[in-house]
Amino acid sequence: MVKTLKKIAALAGAVVLSATMLSGCAKEKEADTLVFGTNAEFPPFEFVSSNGLIDQYDGIDIAVAKKIGDDNGMAVKIENMEFDSLLIALQNGQIDAVIAGMTVTEERKEAVDFSTPYYVAKQVMIVKEGSDIKKAADMADKKIVVIQGYTGETCVNDMGYDYEAFKKGTEAVMELVNGKCDVVVIDSATAAKYIGDNEGLVIVEDDEAFASEEYAIAVAKGNDELLAKINASIEKMIADGTINEFSAKYAEGSAE
Ligand code: ARG
């Protein structure tokens, strides 16, 4: 009888011990791993590749994320999701930060905190060669395609034009290639990638119509500790030319 009780106590102890060990492991993993959310549909910033830098993911942002991890002695994990879900996932604590060529906007600033910006971009128009769209106002009576939730959608919406929104840049560009729309409005560096991949497309810029945009990393509101780490790393990467190096490496024309 006594023996059995002892056994039970020992077993219970073992269960308690392993439970603590488990939670201990989980905690340790959380502390040492930085989880970045992205939407890997935005070359050259993030895309899926057969030989990715982190898992199957590669691009300027993935290289930046990896460097932030390295600088802080942390492993980096990438969570790929829809662009529209990123800020919600951040607010839910599902991810620690968002790195997604994300433009800092007043509206987004109400929901999350942004890092020091690391890239300057703008919206451009992709059209077919020979198109009569020469400036943003020429889109007025054209079939416009944007990507859902991107700042390009906000711009076109603010201009008061009708448009159709697609989930992925590649789908939008296919629509243009197939002659089903006249113009795609999207970020400059991504547009450069798409026209490099598809014959017969050109970029039309209108700097009066489209303001410049800054990309930054987002963290949950008030997560100052992580923001400070990210900012220190980004500021270093800007100062020592690392960001420029990554941009050149992944830009249009260079090997992926
Ligand atoms: N810069 C644009 C925005 O912030 C588009 C970003 C799209 N990024 C992505 N990873 N799909 O809305």
Side-chain angles (χ1 to χ4, degrees), residues 37-43 45-47 61 80-84 86 98-105 108 114 121-123 147-154 167-169 186-187 190 213-215:
T38 197
N39 167 253
E41 296 283 349
F42 198 62
F45 296 92
E46 42 267 334
F47 50 90
D61 284 347
N80 190 22
M81 61 187 79
E82 284 189 2
F83 188 75
D84 274 348
L86 285 166
V98 169
I99 188 157
M102 184 174 274
T103 303
V104 179
T105 68
R108 289 172 183 165
F114 280 104
K122 62 184 176 188
Q123 299 301 309
I147 325 306
Q148 195 179 306
Y150 287 18
T151 38
E153 177 176 16
T154 316
K167 288 235 168 192
K168 298 178 178 184
I186 195 165
D187 301 53
T190 305
E213 301 184 9
E214 290 182 322
Y215 294 172

Side-chain angles (χ1 to χ4, degrees), residues 5-239:
L5 269 179
K6 256 192 189 163
K7 235 187 190 168
I8 290 170
L11 267 175
V15 169
V16 169
L17 195 70
S18 58
T20 352
M21 271 166 65
L22 269 180
S23 68
C25 282
K27 254 197 196 133
E28 215 171 277
K29 208 177 166 205
E30 257 172 41
D32 289 337
T33 304
L34 205 47
V35 183
F36 280 96
T38 197
N39 167 253
E41 296 283 349
F42 198 62
F45 296 92
E46 42 267 334
F47 50 90
V48 171
S49 155
S50 51
N51 79 69
L53 189 63
I54 299 176
D55 301 329
Q56 67 269 44
Y57 307 111
D58 206 357
I60 299 168
D61 284 347
I62 309 301
V64 167
K66 188 169 188 296
K67 193 76 185 24
I68 292 170
D70 289 349
D71 284 351
N72 290 284
M74 293 169 94
V76 170
K77 207 176 154 248
I78 301 292
E79 288 268 2
N80 190 22
M81 61 187 79
E82 284 189 2
F83 188 75
D84 274 348
S85 307
L86 285 166
L87 295 190
I88 299 158
L90 187 57
Q91 286 172 315
N92 288 343
Q94 192 188 330
I95 52 179
D96 298 312
V98 169
I99 188 157
M102 184 174 274
T103 303
V104 179
T105 68
E106 289 307 317
E107 198 189 341
R108 289 172 183 165
K109 269 206 258 183
E110 281 171 21
V112 296
D113 287 342
F114 280 104
S115 71
T116 302
Y118 61 91
Y119 194 90
V120 177
K122 62 184 176 188
Q123 299 301 309
V124 299
M125 296 167 280
I126 312 179
V127 298
K128 278 200 166 170
E129 265 167 19
S131 161
D132 54 3
I133 297 176
K134 304 289 177 214
K135 53 184 190 313
D138 297 334
M139 295 194 294
D141 53 351
K142 303 285 191 197
K143 284 193 83 179
I144 309 171
V145 163
V146 299
I147 325 306
Q148 195 179 306
Y150 287 18
T151 38
E153 177 176 16
T154 316
C155 288
V156 173
N157 197 35
D158 289 350
M159 288 171 182
Y161 302 146
D162 288 338
Y163 61 84
E164 198 179 343
F166 281 75
K167 288 235 168 192
K168 298 178 178 184
T170 45
E171 290 171 356
V173 169
M174 270 312 116
E175 205 65 5
L176 180 62
V177 167
N178 295 334
K180 293 193 186 143
C181 73
D182 303 304
V183 54
V184 173
V185 177
I186 195 165
D187 301 53
S188 40
T190 305
K193 271 285 176 202
Y194 289 144
I195 69 149
D197 292 345
N198 296 278
E199 292 237 330
L201 301 183
V202 289
I203 289 176
V204 176
E205 300 180 18
D206 185 342
D207 292 350
E208 270 163 41
F210 301 109
S212 83
E213 301 184 9
E214 290 182 322
Y215 294 172
I217 294 171
V219 300
K221 259 215 174 306
N223 192 351
D224 297 340
E225 198 186 329
L226 178 57
L227 193 61
K229 286 180 182 166
I230 290 175
N231 279 343
S233 197
I234 285 187
E235 281 153 29
K236 204 174 103 206
M237 279 188 261
I238 293 172

